[in-house]
Amino acid sequence: MSDIEIRDDRAGGRLDAFAGDEVVGHIEYFVLEAPARALVPVHTIVEPAHEGKGIAGSLARELYGIAAREGIVVAPLCPYVVKWAARHPEEAPAADPELLGAAMAWLEAHPGRF
């Protein structure tokens, strides 16, 4: 995985994994502002030729790392990130159910976003 670089495109709502100049995977997310600020991952995608190389896990780990550095939480709606967080509770604190509900409500209110 040393040849993978992860870049946060906050304006685009994507955390991209690059192998050289090629995007080989990404997490689509949005920033929830209320009831608390949170990063909300919605989809994790890894290109088929790059599956099984730990890219999705590296993306999830970096998303939680970004949140920790910013002093906010992750409220995962993406099934992959939910599973990853359950396997890595030391790196991925559980999100408050109220925050998850607010994230789901935001997503439902913005149907064309993802």
Side-chain angles (χ1 to χ4, degrees):
M1 283 292 302
S2 61
D3 60 336
I4 299 296
E5 178 187 356
I6 298 177
R7 300 180 203 157
D8 184 16
D9 176 5
R10 183 67 53 99
R14 285 173 53 121
L15 191 61
D16 293 311
F18 285 86
D21 293 334
E22 179 186 6
V23 176
V24 295
H26 68 272
I27 289 179
E28 295 177 357
Y29 72 94
F30 65 91
V31 179
L32 184 69
E33 296 295 340
R37 191 166 170 82
L39 299 180
V40 183
V42 179
H43 297 294
T44 301
I45 298 169
V46 174
E47 296 302 319
H50 297 276
E51 290 177 348
K53 298 179 181 177
I55 293 169
S58 293
L59 285 163
R61 180 171 280 116
E62 180 60 16
L63 187 75
Y64 277 92
I66 290 168
R69 289 189 296 276
E70 293 181 10
I72 61 176
V73 298
V74 174
L77 298 181
C78 167
Y80 176 81
V81 177
V82 169
K83 290 176 192 170
W84 186 91
R87 290 191 313 267
H88 300 89
E90 70 287 351
E91 296 178 71
D96 180 278
E98 179 184 358
L99 196 57
L100 290 170
M104 183 59 77
W106 187 97
L107 190 60
E108 290 170 355
H110 299 85
R113 179 72 166 87
F114 295 96

